[in-house]
């Protein structure tokens, strides 16, 4: 029923370019104490509003066949295609330095992150297309209100199925990889990511 297109490449590329930039800048400093580097990484995370780690484009077909009433003569059929863009990740608005603990003796950083969730959901109007409509002579055309109701139902169906698509789980894995790369790049041996 759904066609999911993963559009993660831009987000993942941005994340890893950001991590690579941090590696380069940390390698260029002379004799910087690990605590200072950790504080820099923490500051970087606290400045971010959100960590969008995955973006999917979901295609859906929405159709209606209005010929069930016994008193109607003829068919009324309509079919739309649409694409929804779903972005999932971590909301960092309440993330502070207290969410990061560093153990110097074991060279371990523990980072407490909010649980990943859907950050945004949109169905751009340009991606809604009327693919087919058939209205027999004795029937009235689909009204704007009926069309909008069908599209709202299609949008609600996609939202209801998001938990079954693995989007949030993938956002969790990507966020964990990002944090491990962020702190691992400065020589932290153990990075624990805890989702609250």
């Amino acid at each position: 029923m759904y066609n999911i297109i993963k559009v993660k490449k831009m987000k993942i590329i941005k994340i890893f370019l950001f991590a690579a930039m941090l590696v380069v800048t940390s390698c260029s400093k002379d004799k910087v104490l690990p605590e200072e580097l950790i504080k820099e990484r923490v500051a970087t995370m606290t400045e971010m509003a959100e960590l969008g780690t995955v973006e999917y484009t979901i295609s859906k077909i929405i159709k209606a066949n209005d010929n069930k009433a016994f008193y109607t003569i003829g068919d009324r059929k309509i079919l739309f295609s649409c694409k929804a863009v779903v972005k999932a990740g971590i909301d960092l608005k309440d993330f502070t330095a207290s969410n990061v603990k560093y153990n110097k003796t074991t060279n371990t950083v523990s980072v407490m992150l909010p649980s990943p969730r859907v950050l945004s959901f949109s169905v751009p109007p340009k991606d809604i297309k009327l693919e087919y409509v058939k209205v027999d002579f004795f029937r009235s055309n689909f009204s704007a209100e009926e069309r909008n109701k069908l599209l709202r139902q299609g949008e609600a169906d996609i939202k209801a199925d998001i938990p079954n698509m693995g989007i949030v789980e993938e956002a969790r894995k990507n966020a964990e990889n990002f944090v491990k790369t962020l702190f691992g790049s400065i020589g932290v041996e153990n990075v624990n990511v805890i989702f609250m």
Side-chain angles (χ1 to χ4, degrees):
M1 199 66 151
Y2 297 103
N3 180 17
I4 301 174
I5 304 165
K6 296 182 183 182
V7 187
K8 297 183 291 184
K9 58 185 172 207
M10 290 304 288
K11 297 290 179 191
I12 300 300
I13 289 171
K14 287 178 187 176
I15 289 170
F16 285 108
L17 284 176
F18 177 71
M21 179 191 72
L22 291 174
V23 170
V24 171
T25 56
S26 66
C27 293
S28 65
K29 296 183 179 185
D30 296 327
K31 297 182 182 178
V32 177
L33 295 173
E35 287 90 356
E36 291 175 9
L37 289 174
I38 288 167
K39 285 179 185 174
E40 286 178 13
R41 296 306 192 261
V42 171
T44 298
M45 288 186 71
T46 56
E47 289 169 8
M48 299 168 79
E50 62 184 34
L51 178 58
T53 60
V54 68
E55 186 175 290
Y56 280 29
T57 299
I58 302 165
S59 297
K60 179 166 176 61
I61 299 296
I62 303 163
K63 59 184 177 179
N65 187 359
D66 181 18
N67 63 355
K68 293 181 180 164
F70 72 92
Y71 54 84
T72 57
I73 299 171
D75 285 341
R76 253 186 9 145
K77 297 178 182 180
I78 194 165
L79 186 132
F80 290 98
S81 66
C82 69
K83 290 181 183 173
V85 179
V86 181
K87 183 171 133 186
I90 310 294
D91 185 349
L92 293 174
K93 73 174 189 259
D94 295 325
F95 185 85
T96 64
S98 65
N99 291 77
V100 180
K101 306 289 181 211
Y102 176 58
N103 184 328
K104 194 174 182 179
T105 48
T106 60
N107 195 14
T108 301
V109 167
S110 296
V111 181
M112 290 174 283
L113 290 176
S115 291
R117 63 180 182 81
V118 172
L119 298 172
S120 67
F121 177 93
S122 67
V123 181
K126 68 178 180 63
D127 291 331
I128 299 171
K129 294 186 174 91
L130 175 63
E131 301 289 349
Y132 174 78
V133 65
K134 177 189 176 194
V135 180
D136 286 345
F137 181 75
F138 293 105
R139 303 294 307 273
S140 61
N141 208 343
F142 286 90
S143 68
E145 184 180 332
E146 288 174 312
R147 290 175 187 224
N148 287 334
K149 185 177 177 183
L150 280 170
L151 292 171
R152 282 194 305 272
Q153 183 58 51
E155 187 176 314
D157 290 347
I158 295 171
K159 283 181 180 176
D161 209 31
I162 286 174
N164 305 323
M165 294 181 189
I167 296 171
V168 173
E169 290 77 13
E170 191 163 355
R172 179 185 300 266
K173 287 179 196 168
N174 291 344
E176 189 172 350
N177 289 339
F178 172 76
V179 171
K180 287 183 175 181
T181 302
L182 185 68
F183 287 98
S185 67
I186 57 171
V188 177
E189 291 174 15
N190 305 305
V191 181
N192 299 323
V193 181
I194 302 139
F195 292 97
M196 303 180 287

